[in-house]
Amino acid sequence: YVTVPSHALGEGAFEDVDVVLCCVDNPAGRAYLADRTRYLGVPLIEAGFDGPRISLSCYPAVAAADAAAAPCWICAHQDLDGSFSCRFYAQQADNVGVVPAIQTAAAALGALQAEAAILTIHGSMPFSSCAFDLDIRSGRARNTRLSLDPDCHGIHRRLQTTPTPVDVDAGSALATLVKATEAHLGEVTVDLPT
């Protein structure tokens, strides 16, 4: 359990992970998880809700040869602007009389996401490359096959080689990281953004 942005974890957070359950309230965070899971070959089960309407999308781990042709979460969510905090969104929704979330919808969605994860771990993903939408009040449901956006800016490739572990941790000096990396790759240049 950590309280940092998901992108601050690095790819080591995905080591030995069988499936990622995504239920973050931030489009950029969802896009990050979509890209990392695709690149590392980890199935992604994404979930979200709006009042009584719940949605579950499943993205399987695809082979390197198939990664370019398989849809990702970003294919259907190209506009990642406008993410706000949950508190800000709740205040705005309250101002116009909208109930943004109800506990029964969250519970139903959590159960669906858990079932999808269990099935995925056991080698079955019934909603593979699909989005399942359900309104828990009306009972209306829809299962939609996801499609690839040829102009998608998400990662549509797989890591080609297995990452090589290095004996460096978060407390190590940068020089230690450079030395360990150079042992595997040759000369390394570190280019920091600021």
Side-chain angles (χ1 to χ4, degrees):
Y1 179 81
V2 295
T3 56
V4 299
S6 55
H7 62 273
L9 297 174
E11 291 183 1
F14 298 93
E15 187 175 341
D16 297 326
V17 170
D18 294 314
V19 61
V20 169
L21 304 180
C22 175
C23 44
V24 296
D25 266 342
N26 181 300
R30 289 178 176 185
Y32 171 80
L33 290 173
D35 276 345
R36 296 291 28 105
T37 54
R38 172 62 54 92
Y39 186 63
L40 298 171
V42 178
L44 174 68
I45 300 173
E46 197 277 329
F49 61 94
D50 184 11
R53 293 174 301 282
I54 62 177
S55 180
L56 178 79
S57 302
C58 298
Y59 303 90
V62 292
D66 301 327
C72 73
W73 181 85
I74 300 170
C75 285
H77 303 88
Q78 292 291 324
D79 184 11
L80 299 176
D81 295 332
S83 60
F84 301 103
S85 73
C86 293
R87 178 174 289 177
F88 176 82
Y89 176 74
Q91 288 171 341
Q92 298 306 310
D94 188 50
N95 290 343
V96 295
V98 172
V99 178
I102 56 176
Q103 287 76 13
T104 52
L109 183 57
L112 287 170
Q113 197 174 29
E115 182 65 16
I118 292 166
L119 290 170
T120 298
I121 289 169
H122 288 283
S124 172
M125 189 182 256
F127 291 121
S128 180
S129 298
C130 289
F132 174 70
D133 300 303
L134 170 67
D135 185 311
I136 65 164
R137 289 190 178 151
S138 69
R140 290 189 187 102
R142 177 181 64 194
N143 193 23
T144 307
R145 168 95 20 222
L146 300 169
S147 60
L148 174 72
D149 179 349
D151 297 324
C152 179
H153 62 273
I155 293 178
H156 284 268
R157 66 184 184 283
R158 281 278 305 272
L159 180 66
Q160 296 294 319
T161 59
T162 303
T164 303
V166 292
D167 190 22
V168 176
D169 61 31
S172 299
L174 180 58
T176 305
L177 173 62
V178 170
K179 185 176 180 180
T181 305
E182 286 180 339
H184 297 284
L185 301 175
E187 188 176 337
V188 171
T189 300
V190 177
D191 185 16
L192 300 174
T194 59

